[in-house]
C-alpha cells in the first residue's frame, strides 16, 4: 500500500501521469476493500481469506447484481438500511430527489437487463468526484466564439430530457439540484410524443441540451427536417453512448459541441468523452477491467465480452469487481487528446451480442442496426426484439415521406443479407406494427434480447 507521504504527494500533483493514476488507484482500492470487509457482512464473508491489504483487483472475487441484490441487507454497510425500507421509499414517486433516511441518494435501474437494482450513496461519497474534471457539466469544454456567444445569448438555459418521474439516477440527481425547475433549468419528458417534445424545446430554446443518445439523435433528425428550431451550444448525452455516426449527425444538424457521458447507477461518475470521440474512464476513482467470457483480461484493441468495475468512492454499498455487462474496446495507444486516463469505446451490453449457429459471439446487435441504417434509406430508427432462438421482430420509425409498406421488402432483404454475412441466417425476420419503444427509464434499447 502507498505510504501516506507518497499519497499526499500524488494528491497535490497538478497533473497526474498514467503511473501516478495507477498508484493512486491501488491505494484507494486497498481502502475500499478494507472498509467493505469491516462493515459489510456479505463482503466480510467474501474477503475472509484475502490478505490484510489488497491493491490488485484480480485478487478479489467477482460480484454480480442479482446475487448482491438478493442479499441486500448484508451487502450495505449501514446497518440501519434494509431492503424493506428501500422498497417502501421507492414506491413513493413524490419522494424522488428527497434524501433517503435524511442523507442518502437512492436510485434504481429500470430492470431492462433482468432484476431491478437499487443503489444507495451519500453526498459525502460523491464529493470526491464532484470536481470539474468529473462533473457532467460544461466545465473544460472548448467552445468556438460562435458557440460561446450562443451560450451567453441564451442565458445558459439548460433543457434535460428524462422520464417524467421515477427514482432513476438522472431524475433523482436533477430533482435534487433543481426541484421542479426554474428559468434556467427545465426538464422535459422523454416519454411524450416527439412533436410535443419538439414544440416545448422550440419554446424554451436551450443553450445546453441533455438527453439519452436515442432521443438526441431523433432531435437531430427533427432539426434536419426543419421542425426543431433550436441551436444549442452544447449537447450532452447521458445514459447511452453515441455511435460515431450519431455523433456526426448531432454535430452537423444541431451545430453543437457534443459531450458524451458514460455512467451507471453503480458508478455515477465513470467517464467523459474527448474531442476524439473516445471515453476516458476516471481510473483514479474507478478500476475498469475489460474481460473475456471466462473473466481473463481482454487485450487492448480487442472487443471485450464484458467489463468489471470497482467504484472506489462507494462506501455504503460497495461495488467491487462488479460485472457491469458492457462490451468495451480499449484503445491500444495513447489518445491524441493527451488525457492520462485510458481511452475506451462502449460497444454495447454483452446480452446484445448475437451468436452464430455454433454458439460463438459474432456481432453486437447495435452495430448490425447501424449497418442496416446505412444500407436502407428512409428509416430513422430500428429496434429489434428477439422473440425466440430463431425469430427477430423489427420495429421501425420512418423518415418523412417513407411508406413502411413500400420500404419493408428492402429492409427485410438488407437485414437478412446482414444476418447471413455474420453466420446468423437461421433467424426469421418479422415486422412489428408499432414504432420503437423507450424503456420505463426513458432509454432506447436498440436490441431487446430473449431474456430481457
Amino acid at each position: 500500500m502507498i505510504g501516506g507521504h507518497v499519497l499526499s504527494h500524488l494528491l497535490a500533483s497538478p497533473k497526474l501521469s498514467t503511473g501516478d493514476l495507477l498508484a493512486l488507484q491501488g491505494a484507494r482500492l486497498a481502502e475500499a476493500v478494507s472498509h467493505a470487509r469491516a462493515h459489510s457482512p456479505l463482503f466480510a464473508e467474501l474477503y475472509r481469506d484475502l490478505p490484510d491489504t489488497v491493491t490488485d483487483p484480480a485478487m478479489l472475487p467477482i460480484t454480480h447484481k442479482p446475487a448482491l441484490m438478493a442479499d441486500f441487507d448484508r451487502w450495505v454497510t449501514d446497518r440501519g438500511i434494509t431492503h424493506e425500507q428501500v422498497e417502501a421509499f421507492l414506491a413513493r414517486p413524490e419522494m424522488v430527489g428527497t434524501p433517503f433516511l435524511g442523507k442518502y441518494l437512492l436510485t434504481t435501474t429500470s430492470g431492462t437487463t433482468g432484476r431491478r437494482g437499487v443503489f444507495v450513496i451519500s453526498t459525502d461519497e460523491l464529493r470526491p468526484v464532484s470536481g470539474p474534471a468529473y462533473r457532467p457539466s460544461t466545465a473544460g469544454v472548448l467552445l468556438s466564439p460562435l458557440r460561446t456567444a450562443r451560450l451567453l445569448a441564451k442565458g445558459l438555459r439548460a433543457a434535460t430530457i428524462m422520464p417524467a418521474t421515477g427514482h432513476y439516477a438522472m431524475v433523482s440527481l436533477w430533482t435534487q439540484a433543481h426541484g421542479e425547475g426554474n428559468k434556467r433549468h427545465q426538464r422535459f419528458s422523454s416519454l411524450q410524443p416527439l412533436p410535443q417534445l419538439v414544440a416545448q424545446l422550440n419554446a424554451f430554446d436551450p443553450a445546453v441540451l441533455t438527453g439519452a443518445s436515442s432521443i438526441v439523435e431523433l432531435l437531430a433528425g427533427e432539426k434536419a427536417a426543419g421542425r426543431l428550431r433550436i441551436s444549442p451550444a452544447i449537447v450532452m448525452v447521458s445514459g447511452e453512448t453515441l455511435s460515431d455516426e450519431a455523433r456526426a449527425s448531432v454535430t452537423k444538424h444541431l451545430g453543437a459541441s457534443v459531450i458524451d457521458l458514460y455512467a451507471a447507477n453503480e458508478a455515477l461518475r465513470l467517464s467523459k468523452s474527448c474531442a476524439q470521440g473516445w471515453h476516458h474512464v476516471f481510473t483514479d476513482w474507478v478500476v475498469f477491467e475489460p474481460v473475456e467470457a471466462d473473466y481473463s483480461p481482454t487485450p487492448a484493441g480487442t472487443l471485450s465480452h464484458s467489463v468489471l468495475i470497482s467504484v472506489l468512492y462507494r462506501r455504503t454499498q460497495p461495488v467491487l469487481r462488479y460485472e457491469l455487462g458492457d462490451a468495451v474496446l480499449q484503445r491500444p495507444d495513447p489518445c491524441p487528446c493527451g488525457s492520462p486516463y485510458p481511452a475506451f469505446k462502449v460497444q454495447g451490453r454483452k446480452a446484445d451480442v448475437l451468436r452464430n449457429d455454433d454458439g460463438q459471439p459474432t456481432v453486437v446487435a447495435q452495430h448490425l442496426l447501424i449497418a442496416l441504417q446505412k444500407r436502407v434509406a428512409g428509416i430513422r430508427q430500428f429496434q429489434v426484439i428477439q422473440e425466440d432462438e430463431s425469430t427477430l421482430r423489427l420495429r421501425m420509425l420512418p423518415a418523412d415521406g417513407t411508406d413502411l409498406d413500400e420500404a419493408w421488402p428492402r429492409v427485410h432483404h438488407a437485414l437478412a443479407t446482414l444476418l447471413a454475412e455474420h453466420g446468423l441466417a437461421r433467424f426469421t425476420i418479422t415486422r412489428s406494427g408499432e414504432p420503437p419503444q423507450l424503456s420505463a427509464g426513458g432509454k432506447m434499447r436498440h436490441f431487446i434480447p430473449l431474456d430481457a
Side-chain angles (χ1 to χ4, degrees):
M1 185 174 179
I2 297 177
H5 67 289
V6 178
L7 184 57
S8 298
H9 170 72
L10 288 173
L11 293 174
S13 299
K15 185 175 182 180
L16 298 178
S17 67
T18 300
D20 291 338
L21 287 172
L22 290 174
L24 191 56
Q25 182 187 85
R28 286 172 171 164
L29 177 63
E31 293 171 357
V33 168
S34 177
H35 186 274
R37 180 158 41 190
H39 299 283
S40 163
L42 175 58
F43 276 90
E45 181 179 327
L46 284 175
Y47 293 170
R48 63 188 173 193
D49 296 326
L50 294 179
D52 293 340
T53 300
V54 175
T55 59
D56 179 3
M59 297 177 65
L60 303 178
I62 295 165
T63 58
H64 306 272
K65 182 171 70 176
L68 292 172
M69 284 303 307
D71 208 355
F72 183 89
D73 290 357
R74 293 200 320 133
W75 177 13
V76 293
T77 60
D78 182 340
R79 311 310 323 135
I81 297 174
T82 67
H83 190 257
E84 183 178 359
Q85 290 174 311
V86 164
E87 290 296 341
F89 188 91
L90 292 175
R92 300 175 62 190
E94 74 276 10
M95 299 302 287
V96 170
T98 301
F100 172 64
L101 299 183
K103 58 180 178 179
Y104 294 112
L105 176 70
L106 180 58
T107 67
T108 180
T109 66
S110 58
T112 54
T113 57
R115 179 169 182 167
R116 182 182 70 163
V118 293
F119 296 91
V120 186
I121 191 166
S122 71
T123 303
D124 287 343
E125 289 169 75
L126 275 175
R127 190 168 290 120
V129 285
S130 296
Y134 313 96
R135 195 181 304 137
S137 72
T138 59
V141 179
L142 294 176
L143 295 179
S144 67
L146 176 62
R147 288 171 180 159
T148 300
R150 196 185 303 166
L151 191 69
L152 297 175
K154 296 175 185 292
L156 304 177
R157 288 190 300 274
T160 303
I161 304 168
M162 64 178 79
T165 187
H167 292 267
Y168 304 111
M170 178 182 282
V171 180
S172 295
L173 287 165
W174 194 94
T175 304
Q176 190 179 75
H178 307 297
E180 293 302 312
N182 51 55
K183 289 182 179 180
R184 276 186 52 192
H185 297 274
Q186 289 289 320
R187 65 180 178 186
F188 302 87
S189 173
S190 59
L191 304 179
Q192 65 181 312
L194 185 59
Q196 188 173 325
L197 174 60
V198 167
Q200 292 174 354
L201 290 173
N202 283 338
F204 186 59
D205 192 20
V208 180
L209 178 68
T210 301
S213 66
S214 50
I215 293 290
V216 170
E217 192 175 354
L218 282 177
L219 290 173
E222 292 295 293
K223 180 68 181 289
R227 289 182 289 269
L228 184 67
R229 297 186 298 276
I230 66 173
S231 297
I234 295 169
V235 170
M236 292 194 287
V237 177
S238 62
E240 307 164 311
T241 57
L242 280 172
S243 66
D244 291 340
E245 291 80 4
R247 172 185 282 269
S249 174
V250 171
T251 302
K252 175 183 177 182
H253 297 303
L254 291 178
S257 291
V258 178
I259 306 172
D260 195 356
L261 308 168
Y262 177 34
N265 278 267
E266 297 88 339
L268 295 172
R269 305 286 187 265
L270 187 50
S271 80
K272 190 160 62 175
S273 66
C274 69
Q276 306 293 325
W278 289 84
H279 275 266
H280 292 276
V281 178
F282 301 129
T283 48
D284 48 347
W285 283 109
V286 178
V287 182
F288 198 75
E289 302 177 74
V291 292
E292 301 293 277
D294 63 358
Y295 299 113
S296 61
T298 298
T302 302
L303 182 65
S304 75
H305 171 75
S306 186
V307 65
L308 308 176
I309 61 170
S310 296
V311 185
L312 307 180
Y313 52 84
R314 296 199 78 116
R315 292 291 184 268
T316 307
Q317 194 175 19
V319 174
L320 297 167
R321 210 134 199 262
Y322 173 100
E323 185 168 15
L324 191 59
D326 289 332
V328 301
L329 177 73
Q330 181 176 358
R331 187 179 179 121
D333 58 338
C335 184
C337 78
S339 172
Y341 295 113
F344 293 86
K345 286 197 174 179
V346 184
Q347 305 292 322
R349 295 186 177 97
K350 66 174 182 176
D352 294 354
V353 177
L354 290 172
R355 296 177 177 274
N356 62 22
D357 294 339
D358 296 326
Q360 298 301 310
T362 178
V363 66
V364 178
Q366 185 171 342
H367 290 181
L368 201 68
L369 296 182
I370 290 171
L372 179 63
Q373 204 147 7
K374 289 180 178 178
R375 294 189 184 190
V376 181
I379 306 297
R380 295 180 63 184
Q381 204 168 65
F382 290 105
Q383 186 178 50
V384 167
I385 301 95
Q386 185 175 359
E387 298 281 287
D388 54 42
E389 292 294 342
S390 59
T391 306
L392 299 176
R393 181 160 53 94
L394 188 64
R395 292 171 174 165
M396 299 175 286
L397 180 66
D400 292 348
T402 296
D403 183 313
L404 286 181
D405 290 334
E406 184 276 330
W408 173 241
R410 293 185 289 112
V411 172
H412 186 278
H413 174 74
L415 182 54
T417 301
L418 276 167
L419 290 169
E421 289 172 359
H422 291 279
L424 299 165
R426 73 178 186 280
F427 281 105
T428 297
I429 307 161
T430 64
R431 175 184 168 186
S432 172
E434 59 186 6
Q437 306 291 308
L438 298 180
S439 71
K443 295 181 181 180
M444 170 64 68
R445 289 200 67 183
H446 296 278
F447 175 64
I448 302 175
L450 189 60
D451 57 355

